[in-house]
Amino acid sequence: MDEGALPWWQNAVFYQIYVRSFADSDGDGVGDLEGIRSRLGYLELLGVDALWLTPFFRSPMADHGYDVADPRDVDPLFGDLAAFDALVADAHGHGLKVTIDLVPNHTSDQHVWFQQALRSAPGSRERGRYLFRDGQGHGGSLPPNNWTSVFGGPAWTRVPDGQWYLHLFAPQQPDLNWDDSEVRADLVQTLRFWLDRGVDGFRIDVAHGMAKPAGLPDMDPNAVAIMAGTQSHDVVDPRFDNDGVHDIHRLIRKVLDGYPGTMAVGEIWVERDDRFAFYVRPDELHLGFNFKLVEADFDADSVRRAIDRSLTAVQATGAAPTWTLSNHDVVRHVTRYGGGDLGTRRARAMALVELALPGVTFIYNGEELGLPNVDLPDWALQDPVWERSGHTERGRDGCRVPLPWEGEIPSFGFSRAGAAWLPMPTHWAGLTVEAQLEDPESMLSLYRHALEIRKTSGAFGGEELEWYGAPPGCFAFRRKGGGLICALNTSAAPVPLPPGEILLASGPMEGNQLPPETSVWLV
Ligand code: GLC
């Protein structure tokens, strides 16, 4: 890196690949590393800068790879280490950085450590790597505290000798004890293992987890699942965001500092902006995912608030803000915004808002095709949330349906054999990459065009925004450095455009009026 030059991620557009669902090379209906490698040309054409690959490590797949049995090997379902090395080399050849998931909060129950812990006595060294405790009540038959799992039900499971172990997610994902020096040393080894293979960075899963408070005090029963994103300020939730977590991030940072040009972005579901900022202090993570845009309605005031809060949260830290509309844990935004043509029009408008903002954007695979969430039949559901909630929450499978690439019938080129691990809607023929590539009106064309302008125009400079006065239900901001203006209309009527020359619009314009559900870039 040149002296004084910005790091590569400062304004980068990341593309999140949900590995199971991107492209399947071997015909088993599950996406894999070779599948990704075969589609790198597409990603280069799309114009993204970096990839984030969801977990592809050895795993029994109780949570589709977020239950890691060996963090330093590739699961045979996805390929092998040679396939990974080939993917990294080719991605770099296409000018794409490669970042991968790191899952430090928990392991799989099939991890050798947990298997040893189960075979060992209470109080043993082996149990000390996890959070085993005696229960409460007569004979210890009640869990050690009232914590609930993010996926539903109690966060504790009892083992045959009567002790209980903690799992903030599924029972197949026992939480590690981060006070244990071996647990810390192992993370360093894992980081180095992948850095030595050439990865450019990590996405840290549940980066606000890991550290647990002494004595494991009860939680406020009103605390809700982190991923619901509705945690209010006054709820006491000792499961997450404990101060001890920052030492772990400092440890990660120290390792990364030994590999110049590498970075880490944390998944941080923390409501308070001041607490969020702690995670991106200069000696901690380079970036933090915030989910303010995911939580905002399609409403100019609500989107503006999300933008302002995201910018303020990182202002004093020097870290770039980050923007996300969808990922593998939330309902896809076409559907959140109302679905159908309306949802699509709004998603187009929000894509331009997001890509106009200073900082780092994360695109979730398929959003560039305008994929909606899918209503899957009960029999198809695989997310542990479905079982754990007693079939009251359908879980996250609906946003994880494989990508349609080409052709008229499922699996639309996702898999050579026509197989797909989740059923793909037959009416997706119009949403395939093939169908959209040459259509100038398609969502894919909008993303390609927007990404190209973002990369080549000088208008995107500067970190600060200036807000213009705007009619109700609308906003307009200007990038102070470069001069780009972005206007959004979420009201029911057309409004006058701000002055300037149109660079790109999310939908058809009406003279010099900005129609409803539309956004525009001007200079
Ligand atoms: C994160 C992941 C989610 C996973 C959970 C447990 O929130 O994004 O998919 O289920 O962590 O690892």
Side-chain angles (χ1 to χ4, degrees):
M1 199 165 57
D2 300 345
E3 195 70 28
L6 289 179
W8 63 262
W9 58 85
Q10 195 77 11
N11 292 299
V13 176
F14 283 71
Y15 185 88
Q16 177 190 356
I17 294 186
Y18 194 69
V19 177
R20 284 184 85 79
S21 301
F22 188 69
D24 168 27
S25 73
D26 60 8
D28 64 359
V30 175
D32 47 48
L33 299 179
E34 274 298 311
I36 300 170
R37 196 159 76 94
S38 73
R39 299 290 187 181
L40 289 172
Y42 167 74
L43 296 167
E44 190 179 358
L45 195 72
L46 177 60
V48 296
D49 305 301
L51 310 180
W52 151 29
L53 310 182
T54 56
F56 50 81
F57 318 110
R58 276 205 186 257
S59 165
M61 307 291 164
D63 187 19
H64 289 333
Y66 283 97
D67 48 320
V68 181
D70 180 350
R72 296 186 285 276
D73 200 3
V74 174
D75 195 277
L77 192 59
F78 299 129
D80 54 23
L81 283 169
F84 181 77
D85 293 341
L87 172 58
V88 173
D90 277 18
H92 286 163
H94 283 267
L96 296 163
K97 304 283 186 189
V98 180
T99 68
I100 65 174
D101 235 303
L102 188 76
V103 190
N105 181 68
H106 42 263
T107 69
S108 159
D109 62 348
Q110 301 306 310
H111 190 289
V112 57
W113 280 355
F114 194 73
Q115 289 300 309
Q116 286 168 358
L118 288 180
R119 288 194 298 269
S120 305
S124 58
R125 158 98 213 81
E126 288 78 6
R127 288 218 172 164
R129 298 189 189 107
Y130 293 89
L131 291 154
F132 279 86
R133 293 289 185 276
D134 294 329
Q136 304 186 80
H138 181 66
S141 61
L142 297 173
N145 68 21
N146 72 349
W147 291 10
T148 52
S149 145
V150 172
F151 291 162
W156 296 93
T157 290
R158 203 167 192 198
V159 299
D161 60 35
Q163 274 209 313
W164 299 74
Y165 69 89
L166 178 72
H167 51 86
L168 292 183
F169 295 89
Q172 296 89 340
Q173 293 166 297
D175 278 49
L176 285 163
N177 171 18
W178 278 91
D179 292 332
D180 185 285
S181 57
E182 218 181 324
V183 167
R184 290 174 184 247
D186 192 72
L187 177 75
V188 171
Q189 208 186 327
T190 300
L191 287 164
R192 291 191 186 287
F193 179 86
W194 297 107
L195 288 164
D196 289 338
R197 298 196 104 86
V199 305
D200 301 289
F202 298 91
R203 176 263 189 187
I204 318 271
D205 189 61
V206 202
H208 57 314
M210 297 181 274
K212 308 292 185 302
L216 305 181
D218 276 351
M219 64 191 268
D220 182 330
N222 295 319
V224 291
I226 38 160
M227 284 186 284
T230 49
Q231 198 85 285
S232 70
H233 280 207
D234 47 8
V235 159
V236 179
D237 187 353
R239 298 173 302 172
F240 296 104
D241 192 29
N242 289 286
D243 289 338
V245 78
H246 297 289
D247 271 349
I248 304 166
H249 294 312
R250 287 189 192 102
L251 175 74
I252 292 172
R253 179 58 179 261
K254 248 197 204 118
V255 177
L256 294 179
D257 281 348
Y259 292 79
T262 62
M263 51 78 67
V265 52
E267 181 202 26
I268 306 166
W269 288 93
V270 169
E271 176 60 24
R272 276 178 45 182
D273 296 340
D274 55 339
R275 302 223 30 117
F276 179 89
F278 290 156
Y279 289 80
V280 289
R281 285 178 288 201
D283 60 345
E284 298 197 35
L285 302 176
H286 302 81
L287 298 172
F289 275 104
N290 82 76
F291 298 101
K292 299 286 181 284
L293 281 187
V294 171
E295 291 160 2
D297 294 333
F298 185 78
D299 162 73
D301 290 343
S302 146
V303 174
R304 178 175 168 172
R305 253 195 318 276
I307 294 172
D308 276 336
R309 278 194 59 188
S310 307
L311 292 173
T312 321
V314 292
Q315 210 160 36
T317 65
T322 68
W323 312 103
T324 302
L325 290 170
S326 283
N327 67 27
H328 66 294
D329 291 327
V330 302
V331 172
R332 283 185 177 275
H333 56 276
V334 164
T335 304
R336 290 204 314 271
Y337 296 152
D341 286 348
L342 178 72
T344 301
R345 275 209 309 282
R346 292 175 166 180
R348 293 174 68 95
M350 285 302 296
L352 293 199
V353 170
E354 182 181 45
L355 288 168
L357 292 165
V360 184
T361 302
F362 290 86
I363 294 175
Y364 175 50
N365 60 192
E367 82 172 64
E368 80 280 17
L369 303 176
L371 298 187
N373 240 57
V374 179
D375 278 329
L376 291 162
D378 290 3
W379 61 261
L381 298 180
Q382 303 198 16
D383 186 351
V385 168
W386 174 239
E387 288 302 327
R388 296 278 303 165
S389 69
H391 295 184
T392 57
E393 306 266 345
R394 299 190 72 75
R396 300 160 292 174
D397 296 309
C399 68
R400 298 173 174 178
V401 171
L403 260 64
W405 291 92
E406 63 224 359
E408 301 299 320
I409 51 164
S411 64
F412 301 109
F414 164 70
S415 165
R416 269 192 292 116
W421 69 279
L422 286 172
M424 300 173 69
T426 46
H427 60 266
W428 273 13
L431 293 177
T432 62
V433 172
E434 182 184 45
Q436 296 198 38
L437 211 48
E438 300 301 330
D439 172 5
E441 307 301 320
S442 70
M443 183 73 90
L444 179 54
S445 295
L446 180 75
Y447 269 81
R448 283 180 63 193
H449 207 158
L451 289 170
E452 192 187 325
I453 296 175
R454 181 180 154 113
K455 199 166 285 173
T456 51
S457 156
F460 291 73
E463 303 301 309
E464 274 178 76
L465 300 187
E466 175 185 357
W467 292 96
Y468 289 175
C474 302
F475 69 52
F477 63 76
R478 187 176 156 273
R479 293 278 297 266
K480 268 194 182 167
L484 176 82
I485 295 166
C486 176
L488 170 72
N489 182 0
T490 66
S491 79
V495 295
L497 273 177
E501 183 199 326
I502 295 182
L503 278 183
L504 187 61
S506 72
M509 301 302 283
E510 295 171 13
N512 56 357
Q513 301 272 299
L514 179 63
E517 336 285 356
T518 308
S519 67
V520 66
W521 287 354
L522 307 127
V523 278

